[in-house]
Amino acid sequence: MDDGTWSIGELARRAGVTVKTVRFYSDRGLLPEAARSSGGHRRYGPEALDRLRLIRSLRSLDLPVPDVGRVLGEEAALEDAALEDAVAARLREVGSRLAALRWQEAALQSLRDCAPGERAERLRLVGAMTAPPSTTALARFWRRELPARLPAGLRASIVDAAVPQPPVDPTPAQVLVFARLHALVSDARTPVDHWRSPTGRTMCGRTDDEVRPAVLFEGLGEAFELASAELRARRRPYAGDALDCFVAAHARTYHARDTPVFRQRLRVLLTVTADPVLDRYWELSGELSGPLEPTLGAAQEWLRAALNAEPAPAPAPVAA
């Protein structure tokens, strides 16, 4: 035809695509038809070629066809919000896929480099978590372990601080550590309730209902910050501001005063309530964070060591 329009085959040839591709986008309303021939065949003008090239550019970024349609439905397609939203969504998707591939690569390297006798166990550990791993199980573990009477905001902040985030570009060792963490918190166990005693009494003669765990955790935040600074400076545990803050938080919890006798009772309490599962959790978390980012568990252990380093109070003299 001499009207400046092209057949579907001509448009496909100029665009470097197949007739099937042109028909696909035409059927979905993405390509404008200039007219129909006398025989009812589709005819396209130059604007269809420009539109088809734009579609191919968008699809080369793996934008889904519905998103392409939304972009083309706006004016000034290359500058509008629809394109910006579609590109942002695609970037998030690509980032997630890349993160998954990095974790899969590190997991495979971990399996490749271990001794043959360890391979089956590592495969079980790594295969039990997603790539990249979800932190849902870790957060659930801490919500179960923490006292029920904590305010929601305080509980959430503790969980955030206690749950390590998966590295963006993990090493094989980090993949294995995270897998072991995941296995540790996934094993069924009865939570250790440090706030309920069989006799209904706690340290300093207080009943369970009189103990105030919210007061303790609010006070421990400052103590852990001070202890973390000591850990970063690589200072050995010692009696100082961090320990005083730590003991004061416990004393307020039990409506008691910070005295040598109270400190001795606190030493015993911390020994009795030690939990090997939590100790292992903090050990693994520390392997992920490194010495420059002390975990809450590392700060707790530094403070406990500082308390144990203090001399025990002298026994009261026996009356004659």
Side-chain angles (χ1 to χ4, degrees), residues 17-63:
V17 299
T18 64
V19 170
K20 183 179 179 180
T21 298
V22 176
R23 185 174 291 114
F24 175 84
Y25 292 127
S26 293
D27 290 344
R28 282 156 180 76
L30 301 182
L31 279 179
E33 295 180 15
R36 289 269 177 162
S37 68
S38 57
H41 299 295
R42 296 167 176 171
R43 305 294 299 181
Y44 300 92
E47 67 278 3
L49 179 59
D50 293 338
R51 176 64 66 89
L52 188 53
R53 286 170 174 165
L54 177 56
I55 291 172
R56 292 190 65 193
S57 296
L58 295 171
R59 291 290 291 144
S60 70
L61 300 174
D62 273 352
L63 262 65

Side-chain angles (χ1 to χ4, degrees), residues 14 34 43 45 63 69 100 111 122 136 141 148 167 180 186 192 196 258-259 262 266:
R14 289 173 179 265
R43 305 294 299 181
L63 262 65
L111 292 170
R122 286 199 181 187
T136 301
F141 170 81
R180 285 172 173 158
S186 299
V192 179
R196 290 285 170 187
D258 180 0
T259 64
F262 177 83
L266 182 57

Side-chain angles (χ1 to χ4, degrees), residues 130 133-144 159 163-166 178 182 185-186:
T130 59
S134 169
T135 58
T136 301
L138 304 183
R140 188 186 303 117
F141 170 81
W142 278 106
R143 286 193 292 268
R144 188 176 69 240
V159 171
V163 174
Q165 294 304 306
F178 223 99
H182 188 273
V185 302
S186 299

Side-chain angles (χ1 to χ4, degrees), residues 2 24 47 50 66 102 140 213 216 220 234 241 247 256 270 274:
D2 297 330
F24 175 84
E47 67 278 3
D50 293 338
R102 292 188 190 100
R140 188 186 303 117
L216 173 61
L220 287 181
R234 302 185 182 277
D241 292 342
V247 174
L270 295 177

Side-chain angles (χ1 to χ4, degrees), residues 29-257:
L30 301 182
L31 279 179
E33 295 180 15
R36 289 269 177 162
S37 68
S38 57
H41 299 295
R42 296 167 176 171
R43 305 294 299 181
Y44 300 92
E47 67 278 3
L49 179 59
D50 293 338
R51 176 64 66 89
L52 188 53
R53 286 170 174 165
L54 177 56
I55 291 172
R56 292 190 65 193
S57 296
L58 295 171
R59 291 290 291 144
S60 70
L61 300 174
D62 273 352
L63 262 65
V65 172
D67 287 348
V68 172
R70 281 191 289 272
V71 171
L72 296 178
E74 302 285 341
E75 295 182 1
L78 294 180
E79 300 175 1
D80 60 28
L83 177 59
E84 182 178 346
D85 292 344
V87 170
R90 184 60 188 152
L91 279 173
R92 289 192 296 271
E93 182 183 346
V94 170
S96 297
R97 289 171 58 185
L98 287 174
L101 288 172
R102 292 188 190 100
W103 275 84
Q104 290 171 4
E105 180 185 33
L108 289 169
Q109 290 172 344
S110 175
L111 292 170
R112 179 197 63 192
D113 297 339
C114 71
E118 301 175 353
R119 194 158 291 143
E121 176 65 12
R122 286 199 181 187
L123 181 59
R124 183 189 67 81
L125 287 169
V126 172
M129 65 179 187
T130 59
S134 169
T135 58
T136 301
L138 304 183
R140 188 186 303 117
F141 170 81
W142 278 106
R143 286 193 292 268
R144 188 176 69 240
E145 292 290 323
L146 291 171
R149 289 177 285 163
L150 287 182
L154 179 58
R155 177 186 295 272
S157 65
I158 295 172
V159 171
D160 287 344
V163 174
Q165 294 304 306
V168 176
D169 191 7
T171 64
Q174 288 174 323
V175 168
L176 189 58
V177 169
F178 223 99
R180 285 172 173 158
L181 259 181
H182 188 273
L184 179 71
V185 302
S186 299
D187 288 342
R189 78 162 188 155
T190 302
V192 179
D193 193 339
H194 303 308
W195 313 99
R196 290 285 170 187
S197 60
T199 62
R201 309 295 293 180
T202 60
M203 191 169 70
C204 300
R206 297 291 177 180
T207 65
D208 291 319
D209 290 335
E210 290 175 312
V211 175
R212 302 177 295 176
V215 173
L216 173 61
F217 281 93
E218 288 170 352
L220 287 181
E222 181 181 356
F224 286 170
E225 287 182 8
L226 294 172
S228 294
E230 303 291 354
L231 282 165
R232 293 188 190 97
R234 302 185 182 277
R235 295 192 183 97
R236 298 174 62 85
Y238 69 97
D241 292 342
L243 179 59
D244 291 344
C245 185
F246 179 73
V247 174
H250 283 86
R252 288 193 298 270
T253 301
Y254 295 103
H255 308 267
R257 293 185 301 109

